[in-house]
Amino acid sequence: MREVAVIGAGITKFGERWDTSFRDLCTEAGIAAIGDSNVTGEEIDELFVGSMSAGRFIGQEHVGALVSDYVGLGGELHVPATRVEAACASGGLAFRQAVASVASGMSDIVIAAGVEKMTDVGDATDVLAGAADREWESFAGATFPGLYAMIACDYMHKYGLTREQLAKVSVKNHHNGSMNRYAQFQNEITVSTVMNSSLVASPLRLFDCSPVSDGAAAVVVCPLEIAKKYTDTPIKVIASAQAGDTIALHDRPDFSTLGATVAAGNKAFAQAHLERKDIDFVEVHDCFTIAELCAIEDLGFVKKGEAGKFTEEGDTYIGGKLPVNTSGGLKACGHPVGATGIKQIWEVVQQLRGEAGKRQVEGAEIGMTQNVGGTGATVVSHILRRD
Ligand code: COA
């Protein structure tokens, strides 16, 4: 297998983007990534687009072809384009497909994009519920806030996590988002903002939830051996792992451990030949505050049951023992579901290039991502290193 590097990254502002469309969001991110990578359209061999539910959010299928056409790769260049779907892990999986395509020798220059336009429909909650087991969870009334609330209840019961500790995840992520000009929410909040926000699914409140968002992100990958032709700062992909689990939460032996995160994390560390202590920062899938705590435990950074205390002590802040979600995470940066996994890679690239501005992790050399589909039926994890 060939070694693979990221040579370009682009993103749009995340948020309620009434001013633009699905195709324009993806075009904006794609063109930004291509410009950043210094490749020409003629050099691009393949395109992967992560989108969870364009069919229900905007009534558009055949998304790979649409994006390829609008980004200028379809018509004359006839670049092959493939849509990738794994619910909220669609973006992470699109990146993994791009990496696999280059590593195998099938293609040289590949774009991985992620996009979602969620705010044009009134029933986003029901669309998202399609990422769970429709027959056994969603038809019974379970929504995503409801499912993650069950995880939170189980976790609090087992490990004595307090409501305040949970709120601190959101406070930290809003702090990081305040330094990210692409974030949906760029305002600082306090624990009392979270505690006094409306109850969504007990114990989760409005400020424990990622929002409904529009946005897109794209990255360009190529073989490491030719990366220096395009950029002085190639970012090497040193692990690309994926793992699965039961689609329904109720079929798992332990609600508050995401088995697929444990498996994907272990595979990623084995591929990269690294230990947990070698990771400088991590972007994890905090679709709800409880998910960030489970993620840093299940990836092996913190002992099970101790992530609340770790967060409360400020260890997940930039400058702390393990900076988590420097982009603002899904909570503050926003969660256009298909785009999130690529946004995580975009953030790791900014950090490893030393271009993250006020939210820069000093001396960052190795970053990790964890992108979750559903309540953990798909988990994709990557480790990247400054070359
Ligand atoms: N955090 C902070 N503020 C939020 C917010 C969030 N998650 N979601 C909405 N808001 C704000 C809006 O900006 C708006 O503020 P304004 O009145 O100052 O303009 C206000 O709350 C009402 O917004 P609205 O869109 O009506 O909220 P809502 O009640 O319809 O939706 C949630 C709130 C939490 C139900 C919705 O964001 C949600 O379902 N989130 C989870 C998404 C999800 O499940 N993703 C997949 C995860 S795997």
Side-chain angles (χ1 to χ4, degrees):
M1 287 219 294
R2 300 194 292 183
E3 291 191 294
V4 180
V6 181
I7 53 168
I11 197 163
T12 68
K13 165 95 175 62
F14 282 12
E16 291 188 32
R17 297 291 308 271
W18 307 113
D19 55 313
T20 188
S21 64
F22 178 95
R23 64 187 68 189
D24 286 346
L25 282 168
C26 210
T27 305
E28 186 186 326
I31 286 177
I34 293 169
D36 188 47
S37 66
N38 299 311
V39 299
T40 61
E42 287 74 15
E43 291 176 291
I44 295 165
D45 293 317
E46 199 170 7
L47 167 68
F48 291 95
V49 184
S51 171
M52 174 186 159
S53 201
R56 288 202 58 199
F57 282 127
I58 59 160
Q60 176 73 56
E61 305 291 5
H62 210 174
V63 159
L66 175 92
V67 171
S68 174
D69 183 12
Y70 272 76
V71 92
L73 299 175
E76 285 176 21
L77 297 172
H78 307 295
V79 171
T82 306
R83 175 190 179 168
V84 177
E85 190 276 311
C88 306
S90 300
L93 202 51
F95 182 72
R96 185 164 148 76
Q97 298 309 307
V99 170
S101 181
V102 173
S104 71
M106 184 90 88
S107 302
D108 283 336
I109 310 271
V110 181
I111 303 183
V115 55
E116 214 76 58
K117 183 88 176 72
M118 301 170 73
T119 63
D120 293 347
V121 291
D123 64 345
T125 301
D126 186 63
V127 178
L128 291 167
D133 185 329
R134 178 65 76 180
E135 223 168 291
W136 292 103
E137 293 180 305
S138 319
F139 282 166
T143 59
F144 265 90
L147 290 166
Y148 274 90
M150 284 189 236
I151 296 176
C153 286
D154 181 63
Y155 188 108
M156 286 169 135
H157 174 70
K158 278 190 187 134
Y159 303 112
L161 173 78
T162 68
R163 229 336 321 195
E164 286 78 4
Q165 288 172 331
L166 206 49
K168 286 192 172 164
V169 174
S170 184
V171 172
K172 181 265 299 169
N173 286 344
H174 271 259
H175 173 68
N176 291 348
S178 75
M179 298 181 283
N180 180 358
R181 67 193 173 99
Y182 297 103
Q184 179 158 354
F185 298 120
Q186 297 177 27
N187 58 316
E188 298 262 8
I189 59 164
T190 63
V191 167
S192 90
T193 318
V194 186
M195 306 291 276
N196 295 317
S197 63
S198 29
L199 194 58
V200 174
S202 182
L204 302 178
R205 295 182 172 272
L206 181 67
F207 277 80
D208 290 296
C209 305
S210 59
V212 169
S213 318
D214 306 323
V219 296
V220 183
V221 294
C222 76
L224 182 66
E225 66 205 28
I226 60 165
K228 280 264 164 72
K229 184 176 147 197
Y230 300 101
T231 176
D232 293 337
T233 51
I235 304 301
K236 195 169 153 183
V237 183
I238 55 172
S240 176
Q242 181 184 351
D245 205 338
T246 64
I247 187 141
L249 182 62
H250 57 247
D251 284 329
R252 311 230 179 107
D254 175 4
F255 273 23
S256 43
T257 298
L258 271 70
T261 298
V262 176
N266 286 340
K267 282 188 205 178
F269 279 104
Q271 279 177 31
H273 306 291
L274 291 176
E275 293 177 38
R276 270 63 182 177
K277 66 173 174 44
D278 299 322
I279 301 291
D280 295 316
F281 64 99
V282 61
E283 284 285 301
V284 300
H285 197 96
D286 60 314
C287 49
F288 300 92
T289 44
I290 184 65
E292 177 168 314
L293 301 183
C294 292
I296 59 175
E297 292 175 349
D298 297 341
L299 289 172
F301 292 111
V302 184
K303 249 175 84 186
K304 201 75 211 166
E306 291 184 4
K309 191 160 165 278
F310 190 73
T311 301
E312 186 172 43
E313 289 173 353
D315 291 333
T316 56
Y317 271 88
I318 294 164
K321 287 182 187 152
L322 177 73
V324 180
N325 284 329
T326 55
S327 67
L330 283 57
K331 173 65 201 81
C333 191
H335 183 28
V337 283
T340 285
I342 302 287
K343 186 243 28 204
Q344 294 180 329
I345 302 290
W346 173 86
E347 174 65 8
V348 171
V349 169
Q350 306 310 302
Q351 291 285 352
L352 297 182
R353 283 177 176 174
E355 293 174 358
K358 286 188 195 158
R359 57 182 203 289
Q360 183 65 46
V361 174
E362 221 175 293
E365 284 191 3
I366 303 175
M368 184 171 194
T369 64
Q370 177 248 17
N371 185 202
V372 179
T375 51
T378 301
V379 172
V380 187
S381 183
H382 287 95
I383 304 178
L384 295 97
R385 174 181 222 147
R386 201 167 60 195
D387 191 46

PDB file of all heavy atoms in Angstrom, residues 86-102:
ATOM      1  N   ALA A  86     -23.058   6.857   5.575  1.00  0.00           N
ATOM      2  CA  ALA A  86     -23.017   6.089   6.820  1.00  0.00           C
ATOM      3  C   ALA A  86     -23.546   7.013   7.918  1.00  0.00           C
ATOM      4  O   ALA A  86     -22.878   7.270   8.914  1.00  0.00           O
ATOM      5  CB  ALA A  86     -21.601   5.626   7.144  1.00  0.00           C
ATOM      6  N   ALA A  87     -24.754   7.572   7.666  1.00  0.00           N
ATOM      7  CA  ALA A  87     -25.384   8.508   8.610  1.00  0.00           C
ATOM      8  C   ALA A  87     -24.412   9.644   8.937  1.00  0.00           C
ATOM      9  O   ALA A  87     -23.790  10.198   8.035  1.00  0.00           O
ATOM     10  CB  ALA A  87     -25.888   7.781   9.854  1.00  0.00           C
ATOM     11  N   CYS A  88     -24.239   9.965  10.209  1.00  0.00           N
ATOM     12  CA  CYS A  88     -23.388  11.108  10.586  1.00  0.00           C
ATOM     13  C   CYS A  88     -21.905  10.819  10.374  1.00  0.00           C
ATOM     14  O   CYS A  88     -21.068  11.714  10.523  1.00  0.00           O
ATOM     15  CB  CYS A  88     -23.640  11.494  12.041  1.00  0.00           C
ATOM     16  SG  CYS A  88     -25.371  11.787  12.389  1.00  0.00           S
ATOM     17  N   ALA A  89     -21.568   9.564  10.036  1.00  0.00           N
ATOM     18  CA  ALA A  89     -20.166   9.226   9.738  1.00  0.00           C
ATOM     19  C   ALA A  89     -19.907   9.250   8.234  1.00  0.00           C
ATOM     20  O   ALA A  89     -18.847   8.789   7.785  1.00  0.00           O
ATOM     21  CB  ALA A  89     -19.815   7.856  10.316  1.00  0.00           C
ATOM     22  N   SER A  90     -20.830   9.776   7.449  1.00  0.00           N
ATOM     23  CA  SER A  90     -20.666   9.772   5.982  1.00  0.00           C
ATOM     24  C   SER A  90     -19.387  10.494   5.563  1.00  0.00           C
ATOM     25  O   SER A  90     -18.676  10.041   4.655  1.00  0.00           O
ATOM     26  CB  SER A  90     -21.869  10.440   5.312  1.00  0.00           C
ATOM     27  OG  SER A  90     -23.059   9.749   5.622  1.00  0.00           O
ATOM     28  N   GLY A  91     -19.080  11.609   6.189  1.00  0.00           N
ATOM     29  CA  GLY A  91     -17.883  12.387   5.829  1.00  0.00           C
ATOM     30  C   GLY A  91     -16.604  11.624   6.149  1.00  0.00           C
ATOM     31  O   GLY A  91     -15.690  11.536   5.315  1.00  0.00           O
ATOM     32  N   GLY A  92     -16.540  11.059   7.337  1.00  0.00           N
ATOM     33  CA  GLY A  92     -15.352  10.299   7.747  1.00  0.00           C
ATOM     34  C   GLY A  92     -15.125   9.122   6.816  1.00  0.00           C
ATOM     35  O   GLY A  92     -13.991   8.788   6.457  1.00  0.00           O
ATOM     36  N   LEU A  93     -16.234   8.509   6.410  1.00  0.00           N
ATOM     37  CA  LEU A  93     -16.125   7.353   5.531  1.00  0.00           C
ATOM     38  C   LEU A  93     -15.735   7.778   4.116  1.00  0.00           C
ATOM     39  O   LEU A  93     -14.993   7.051   3.436  1.00  0.00           O
ATOM     40  CB  LEU A  93     -17.460   6.598   5.526  1.00  0.00           C
ATOM     41  CG  LEU A  93     -17.386   5.146   5.106  1.00  0.00           C
ATOM     42  CD1 LEU A  93     -16.317   4.376   5.862  1.00  0.00           C
ATOM     43  CD2 LEU A  93     -18.734   4.475   5.293  1.00  0.00           C
ATOM     44  N   ALA A  94     -16.198   8.941   3.664  1.00  0.00           N
ATOM     45  CA  ALA A  94     -15.791   9.444   2.341  1.00  0.00           C
ATOM     46  C   ALA A  94     -14.278   9.657   2.340  1.00  0.00           C
ATOM     47  O   ALA A  94     -13.585   9.325   1.373  1.00  0.00           O
ATOM     48  CB  ALA A  94     -16.524  10.742   2.014  1.00  0.00           C
ATOM     49  N   PHE A  95     -13.761  10.188   3.451  1.00  0.00           N
ATOM     50  CA  PHE A  95     -12.307  10.392   3.557  1.00  0.00           C
ATOM     51  C   PHE A  95     -11.587   9.051   3.511  1.00  0.00           C
ATOM     52  O   PHE A  95     -10.581   8.887   2.819  1.00  0.00           O
ATOM     53  CB  PHE A  95     -11.975  11.158   4.842  1.00  0.00           C
ATOM     54  CG  PHE A  95     -10.506  11.444   4.997  1.00  0.00           C
ATOM     55  CD1 PHE A  95      -9.883  12.388   4.205  1.00  0.00           C
ATOM     56  CD2 PHE A  95      -9.741  10.764   5.931  1.00  0.00           C
ATOM     57  CE1 PHE A  95      -8.516  12.646   4.324  1.00  0.00           C
ATOM     58  CE2 PHE A  95      -8.382  11.011   6.073  1.00  0.00           C
ATOM     59  CZ  PHE A  95      -7.768  11.966   5.261  1.00  0.00           C
ATOM     60  N   ARG A  96     -12.129   8.085   4.236  1.00  0.00           N
ATOM     61  CA  ARG A  96     -11.501   6.746   4.252  1.00  0.00           C
ATOM     62  C   ARG A  96     -11.487   6.125   2.852  1.00  0.00           C
ATOM     63  O   ARG A  96     -10.513   5.473   2.458  1.00  0.00           O
ATOM     64  CB  ARG A  96     -12.255   5.860   5.247  1.00  0.00           C
ATOM     65  CG  ARG A  96     -11.652   4.507   5.452  1.00  0.00           C
ATOM     66  CD  ARG A  96     -12.224   3.855   6.712  1.00  0.00           C
ATOM     67  NE  ARG A  96     -12.295   2.421   6.585  1.00  0.00           N
ATOM     68  CZ  ARG A  96     -11.225   1.609   6.670  1.00  0.00           C
ATOM     69  NH1 ARG A  96     -10.051   2.100   6.913  1.00  0.00           N
ATOM     70  NH2 ARG A  96     -11.377   0.309   6.532  1.00  0.00           N
ATOM     71  N   GLN A  97     -12.571   6.307   2.096  1.00  0.00           N
ATOM     72  CA  GLN A  97     -12.612   5.761   0.727  1.00  0.00           C
ATOM     73  C   GLN A  97     -11.551   6.437  -0.140  1.00  0.00           C
ATOM     74  O   GLN A  97     -10.907   5.797  -0.977  1.00  0.00           O
ATOM     75  CB  GLN A  97     -13.995   5.979   0.090  1.00  0.00           C
ATOM     76  CG  GLN A  97     -15.135   5.280   0.814  1.00  0.00           C
ATOM     77  CD  GLN A  97     -14.856   3.814   1.063  1.00  0.00           C
ATOM     78  OE1 GLN A  97     -14.522   3.064   0.147  1.00  0.00           O
ATOM     79  NE2 GLN A  97     -14.937   3.398   2.310  1.00  0.00           N
ATOM     80  N   ALA A  98     -11.391   7.761   0.044  1.00  0.00           N
ATOM     81  CA  ALA A  98     -10.390   8.497  -0.744  1.00  0.00           C
ATOM     82  C   ALA A  98      -8.986   7.990  -0.400  1.00  0.00           C
ATOM     83  O   ALA A  98      -8.158   7.763  -1.291  1.00  0.00           O
ATOM     84  CB  ALA A  98     -10.514   9.995  -0.462  1.00  0.00           C
ATOM     85  N   VAL A  99      -8.736   7.805   0.881  1.00  0.00           N
ATOM     86  CA  VAL A  99      -7.421   7.303   1.324  1.00  0.00           C
ATOM     87  C   VAL A  99      -7.178   5.909   0.742  1.00  0.00           C
ATOM     88  O   VAL A  99      -6.093   5.616   0.215  1.00  0.00           O
ATOM     89  CB  VAL A  99      -7.349   7.282   2.877  1.00  0.00           C
ATOM     90  CG1 VAL A  99      -6.112   6.535   3.368  1.00  0.00           C
ATOM     91  CG2 VAL A  99      -7.374   8.703   3.429  1.00  0.00           C
ATOM     92  N   ALA A 100      -8.204   5.049   0.790  1.00  0.00           N
ATOM     93  CA  ALA A 100      -8.058   3.678   0.282  1.00  0.00           C
ATOM     94  C   ALA A 100      -7.787   3.686  -1.216  1.00  0.00           C
ATOM     95  O   ALA A 100      -6.974   2.903  -1.720  1.00  0.00           O
ATOM     96  CB  ALA A 100      -9.319   2.866   0.585  1.00  0.00           C
ATOM     97  N   SER A 101      -8.444   4.586  -1.920  1.00  0.00           N
ATOM     98  CA  SER A 101      -8.279   4.649  -3.369  1.00  0.00           C
ATOM     99  C   SER A 101      -6.836   5.037  -3.730  1.00  0.00           C
ATOM    100  O   SER A 101      -6.236   4.459  -4.635  1.00  0.00           O
ATOM    101  CB  SER A 101      -9.275   5.658  -3.950  1.00  0.00           C
ATOM    102  OG  SER A 101      -9.154   5.720  -5.338  1.00  0.00           O
ATOM    103  N   VAL A 102      -6.283   5.999  -3.000  1.00  0.00           N
ATOM    104  CA  VAL A 102      -4.899   6.415  -3.268  1.00  0.00           C
ATOM    105  C   VAL A 102      -3.923   5.341  -2.782  1.00  0.00           C
ATOM    106  O   VAL A 102      -2.988   4.972  -3.494  1.00  0.00           O
ATOM    107  CB  VAL A 102      -4.591   7.775  -2.596  1.00  0.00           C
ATOM    108  CG1 VAL A 102      -3.114   8.116  -2.724  1.00  0.00           C
ATOM    109  CG2 VAL A 102      -5.448   8.883  -3.209  1.00  0.00           C
TER     110      VAL A 102
END
